[in-house]
Amino acid sequence: MRPVARFVASVDSILAICRRMDIPANRRVHQVRQVLSSRGLTLYRVSERSAEIFGRSSVFYVPHNLSFDAQDPGSIPTFQQMLAISHITDYRLSEWFRVFGFDLDLIPRLRLLVPRKRTTLLDSRVYDPQAWIPWFAGRTNSFAPPSIAPLGQLLTRAAPLRAVDLLALSKRKFLYAKVGEQDVYAFPHLAPGSIVRVDTERSEEISRDAGLSGERQLFFVEHDFGYSCSQLVVLAKDRLVLHSQQLPCTQIELTLGKEARILGRIDAEIRPVAGHAIGRVVTERAVLAKPRALGSPHLKATLKDLLQSSRLRAGLSFREASSLSRSIANFLADESYFAATSTLSDYETLSAPPRHIQKAITLCVLYSIDFAEFLGVSGLPLDREGRDSMPDELVPDRESPRSLAGEGQAFVEKTGFLASLLERWEEVPLFLRHSLDELTGLKSVSLSDLFWVGGDEAPIHPWLARASLVAVNRRIKKPAQAKATFDQPLYLVLERDGTYLCGCCAQRGSELIVHLYPGVPLGARRFRNGIDAEVVGQVTAILRRLP
């Protein structure tokens, strides 16, 4: 399927974002006045203060006659004017973007929706740390969870918490990336479209025979053409090989520090396991071109250099990028998000950022650029943005604790199932909270769609080794016909005694057969369908740790 067609298939998700990225002009004017009034300011006074601080001829000067018309992008403040307003009011810049109709925390969701030929880093920043996040509490602390169980049996809704409080629970910071369809070195250990976590503190854990010993340690490697998820073989102190046991003809030798950098070891994956034709993707993958020297990570890039290098790393031509931007504009119902081929080309020759914020968001989505990095390279002095958070009632569409209310008071458990889960994973990736539907392939994901599988010490499928959670489509209860061994669907099966099995299965007449993966002893298990066991649903995604 062509990239644009796959993007169009996500219409429901895009329309949901559209509602968050569009605020009528009259509502926006009222909100701006309310926010300014909370600081004892008017737009006229803000204009005068911007002239006093930056000068009337400065790009940071805020004219007093801005109309904030949603149908006229030219009336929305520029990046520089937005920063000036943030500085004068001492309110956070990201919240001012929200007031003017741009929810920056939805950018990661848009980036996940765009099909990727190449592996890309994700922006894991949480732009609104004061956002209220639905939270949970353990149902009981008195017993160990079973091997496999519905997550709703172990957790219940609790009072919401601020994002900043949940971020404080993280013991460490990790990098996150999306595996591209042409990342030949990732297959079959990782699936195209998987979200992987990179432990930057383990980049040195590589031995000379790491790629040959069967340990299957995967590293996240940066090179001139982007990023690869690969096993590595060390040839010498500064020479390594990107290694694939399944496709040895694709191996490529790189000079460490000059042509490649190891950013860390991949230690976890959110793996999509439904609707991915892995076998087809493999045959279409490309091998890296002749390696070239990497630029220094300490050199300060210009905006045009950042745009060009990011586009090339994403593997996009101007025409392809423009086609994807048309899809974004169509489904956000805002022509300002479209960028013509000539416009994209012009941006790579200019030093100033686009006049319209919509264009900048499109560039960051398509080229996988962190929005904060884009602002910094564009010359915005981010150290001068406001530091205070706006009251909840002044931030558009910020859900209130009452609308997210659960049972009990807001607190974080120190013991029990949830505490042990947080201890095991070390960081809560809050930037993915708007993308659960895309990650699981389900609509309106709830606790009833998620199952704990972390207690199964002897899983019957290798994808479930070290897994913690699976998402299950409970509407699919009839097993599909068998495919290639590595691409068979997984199903959750409920036995008559209340225990669960998770693996590949088939239905032959009235018999339900759960196949054990090759190499697992005991062979298949057979049940009378609907009497001894029944299919709960098809597994659509797996959250698992990697060796």
Side-chain angles (χ1 to χ4, degrees):
M1 187 182 294
R2 295 176 60 189
V4 172
R6 288 198 302 274
F7 188 83
V8 169
S10 302
V11 57
D12 291 336
S13 298
I14 294 293
L15 291 176
I17 296 174
C18 178
R19 291 190 290 271
R20 297 281 296 277
M21 299 289 266
D22 177 43
I23 298 179
N26 56 348
R27 181 183 169 194
R28 180 179 295 132
V29 171
H30 178 68
Q31 288 175 333
V32 171
R33 288 174 176 169
Q34 275 192 316
V35 177
L36 294 180
S37 177
S38 72
R39 292 302 205 193
L41 295 168
T42 63
L43 182 58
Y44 181 83
R45 182 55 185 152
V46 168
S47 177
E48 292 299 306
R49 287 285 293 138
S50 68
E52 295 169 7
I53 298 172
F54 303 103
R56 290 186 181 275
S57 60
S58 169
V59 291
F60 294 92
Y61 171 67
V62 181
H64 68 274
N65 58 347
L66 284 177
S67 64
F68 314 128
D69 185 356
Q71 303 303 318
D72 179 16
S75 68
I76 297 176
T78 63
F79 290 114
Q80 296 87 348
Q81 292 167 343
M82 200 90 76
L83 186 133
I85 295 173
S86 171
H87 176 76
I88 292 168
T89 60
D90 201 27
Y91 281 141
R92 293 172 56 86
L93 180 61
S94 61
E95 293 177 336
W96 271 113
F97 275 111
R98 188 85 171 254
V99 169
F100 285 102
F102 305 101
D103 184 353
L104 302 184
D105 279 324
L106 290 175
I107 294 178
R109 186 178 184 186
L110 281 169
R111 285 173 60 168
L112 287 178
L113 288 170
V114 174
R116 299 293 178 189
K117 294 190 294 184
R118 296 184 181 175
T119 295
T120 57
L121 274 174
L122 297 176
D123 182 0
S124 60
R125 185 189 307 268
V126 175
Y127 287 92
D128 184 6
Q130 296 301 315
W132 288 100
I133 310 295
W135 197 237
F136 307 92
R139 287 190 178 274
T140 178
N141 295 327
S142 61
F143 64 91
S147 297
I148 303 177
L151 198 57
Q153 288 184 7
L154 305 174
L155 298 177
T156 185
R157 286 286 295 271
L161 295 172
R162 297 275 192 187
V164 66
D165 296 324
L166 291 176
L167 292 172
L169 299 177
S170 300
K171 295 183 176 181
R172 307 169 51 195
K173 286 291 294 179
F174 296 86
L175 297 178
Y176 295 85
K178 182 177 181 179
V179 179
E181 294 180 350
Q182 293 181 353
D183 193 343
V184 65
Y185 305 101
F187 176 80
H189 312 299
L190 304 172
S194 284
I195 305 302
V196 296
R197 190 177 77 170
V198 181
D199 187 345
T200 58
E201 296 181 5
R202 302 174 67 187
S203 59
E204 304 296 329
E205 295 182 9
I206 177 173
S207 60
R208 286 184 177 273
D209 61 348
L212 305 176
S213 62
E215 295 178 355
R216 297 184 180 180
Q217 298 174 356
L218 293 173
F219 292 84
F220 195 73
V221 182
E222 179 185 12
H223 42 72
D224 183 61
F225 296 94
Y227 304 95
S228 292
C229 304
S230 178
Q231 294 177 272
L232 300 178
V233 176
V234 178
L235 302 179
K237 182 178 181 181
D238 61 346
R239 301 291 294 174
L240 57 84
V241 171
L242 301 185
H243 174 72
S244 171
Q245 290 180 324
Q246 282 70 27
L247 300 167
C249 62
T250 63
Q251 294 184 163
I252 187 169
E253 186 176 334
L254 299 170
T255 301
L256 191 60
K258 180 181 178 181
E259 298 169 342
R261 282 189 285 265
I262 302 175
L263 299 187
R265 182 168 164 180
I266 299 172
D267 76 340
E269 174 191 26
I270 303 175
R271 185 185 186 100
V273 293
H276 292 264
I278 297 177
R280 174 190 61 80
V281 174
V282 171
T283 61
E284 295 178 358
R285 288 177 176 175
V287 182
L288 293 178
K290 184 178 179 180
R292 296 182 296 184
L294 276 171
S296 170
H298 305 294
L299 291 178
K300 186 176 181 181
T302 63
L303 179 59
K304 59 183 180 181
D305 291 337
L306 175 66
L307 293 177
Q308 183 182 60
S309 63
S310 299
R311 178 180 59 81
L312 294 176
R313 287 190 169 195
L316 292 174
S317 66
F318 290 125
R319 186 181 299 275
E320 290 170 328
S322 180
S323 295
L324 289 173
S325 76
R326 168 59 67 191
S327 298
I328 296 174
N330 286 346
F331 289 104
L332 290 180
D334 189 340
E335 186 68 15
S336 301
Y337 286 93
F338 170 71
T341 301
S342 58
T343 301
L344 294 172
S345 177
D346 288 344
Y347 286 154
E348 294 186 13
T349 64
L350 304 175
S351 57
R355 166 63 181 82
H356 301 150
I357 295 173
Q358 293 93 331
K359 293 288 195 297
I361 290 176
T362 294
L363 291 172
C364 291
V365 170
L366 295 179
Y367 299 165
S368 294
I369 301 173
D370 290 1
F371 193 74
E373 180 185 9
F374 182 92
L375 296 180
V377 173
S378 298
L380 263 71
L382 296 179
D383 58 335
R384 302 190 69 177
E385 73 162 297
R387 301 301 176 189
D388 289 351
S389 294
M390 294 181 186
D392 289 342
E393 62 272 14
L394 297 181
V395 181
D397 297 319
R398 178 186 279 172
E399 294 180 284
S400 66
R402 182 173 299 178
S403 66
L404 299 172
E407 300 175 4
Q409 298 180 345
F411 72 100
V412 178
E413 296 177 342
K414 302 298 183 182
T415 60
F417 172 76
L418 183 56
S420 65
L421 195 62
L422 294 174
E423 178 75 18
R424 180 179 183 181
W425 284 92
E426 301 182 276
E427 182 180 39
V428 182
L430 288 182
F431 77 101
L432 294 174
R433 68 187 186 277
H434 295 305
S435 306
L436 295 180
D437 290 3
E438 290 74 39
L439 294 173
T440 61
L442 304 173
K443 291 184 180 180
S444 304
V445 180
S446 67
L447 281 179
S448 59
D449 300 313
L450 304 176
F451 285 75
W452 159 256
V453 294
D456 190 356
E457 298 180 355
I460 61 176
H461 195 284
W463 291 350
L464 299 173
R466 305 177 189 85
S468 290
L469 301 173
V470 297
V472 176
N473 186 343
R474 292 170 294 140
R475 291 176 295 178
I476 301 178
K477 296 183 179 293
K478 184 176 181 179
Q481 299 212 352
K483 301 181 180 180
T485 301
F486 59 80
D487 202 21
Q488 290 184 0
L490 299 181
Y491 295 89
L492 192 70
V493 176
L494 175 63
E495 297 186 59
R496 184 167 54 183
D497 63 1
T499 60
Y500 289 89
L501 281 174
C502 191
C504 304
C505 64
Q507 184 175 340
R508 295 178 184 172
S510 61
E511 191 175 46
L512 181 64
I513 306 171
V514 179
H515 295 289
L516 302 189
Y517 200 81
V520 178
L522 303 179
R525 296 188 59 181
R526 300 174 183 272
F527 303 92
R528 291 176 295 173
N529 189 32
I531 300 175
D532 298 327
E534 63 179 2
V535 175
V536 176
Q538 181 178 345
V539 175
T540 60
I542 301 171
L543 172 64
R544 64 175 187 151
R545 295 296 295 267
L546 297 175

